Amino acid sequence: MRIPAESNVPIRFQLFLLEDGEKKVAETADTRIPSSSLFTFNKEDHTLGNLLRSRLLQSPHVTFSGYRVPHPLFSKFELRVQTDGEITPRAALVQACRDLVNDLGTLSREFTKEWELRKMAGEGTNGVEK
């Protein structure tokens, strides 16, 4: 499918490659609410936003976590995090990222193990599935 030159749809590689000087994440402290920050993620979308929001809400120190995508044509989202004051919003976000990396590593190992077991079981039946 060819996109017309006058279309406002961004070129695909612009959706995930950072430009020179562009940061992946920027933090802005929220002065209206104590222990609250707004994180802007560039070149990301709902997938990461929802994963982070869900993982942050599992933390006992996080009192609020939510995200929004300002505009559907731009791959960027804003994540607001509020904590109880025992840890900073940045520390909560870093811990959520570490937890997600560990969870995804476990998922990958378990999936690979099950996949290999199914392949071995399939070889035992000479490729005939029941």
Side-chain angles (χ1 to χ4, degrees):
M1 179 173 100
R2 187 177 165 111
I3 298 173
E6 66 275 356
S7 173
N8 63 353
V9 177
I11 301 169
R12 286 194 189 267
F13 75 85
Q14 291 176 337
L15 296 174
F16 58 88
L17 290 179
L18 291 173
E19 296 176 17
D20 291 338
E22 187 176 25
K23 292 184 177 181
K24 188 67 161 177
V25 182
E27 178 182 14
T28 307
D30 190 344
T31 57
R32 299 172 296 161
I33 303 170
S35 300
S36 179
S37 287
L38 180 69
F39 298 92
T40 302
F41 287 79
N42 291 312
K43 310 299 184 187
E44 295 293 346
D45 60 8
H46 288 282
T47 306
L48 183 62
N50 198 32
L51 274 171
L52 288 172
R53 180 198 59 83
S54 297
R55 189 60 183 191
L56 281 162
L57 289 174
Q58 292 176 5
S59 171
H61 298 293
V62 175
T63 56
F64 176 81
S65 177
Y67 79 96
R68 73 182 191 103
V69 176
H71 194 281
L73 286 180
F74 302 112
S75 45
K76 168 175 146 177
F77 72 88
E78 297 171 349
L79 177 72
R80 184 174 303 278
V81 180
Q82 182 181 2
T83 63
D84 60 6
E86 287 188 39
I87 62 172
T88 64
R90 178 185 289 211
L93 180 61
V94 168
Q95 186 57 48
C97 289
R98 287 185 179 133
D99 293 344
L100 279 172
V101 167
N102 288 336
D103 290 349
L104 292 171
T106 301
L107 175 66
S108 176
R109 283 189 302 278
E110 291 297 317
F111 180 83
T112 302
K113 183 174 74 175
E114 289 296 322
W115 179 259
E116 294 299 324
L117 286 172
R118 289 210 180 246
K119 279 179 27 182
M120 287 191 311
E123 290 170 2
T125 59
N126 294 327
V128 178
E129 293 192 26
K130 296 179 182 181

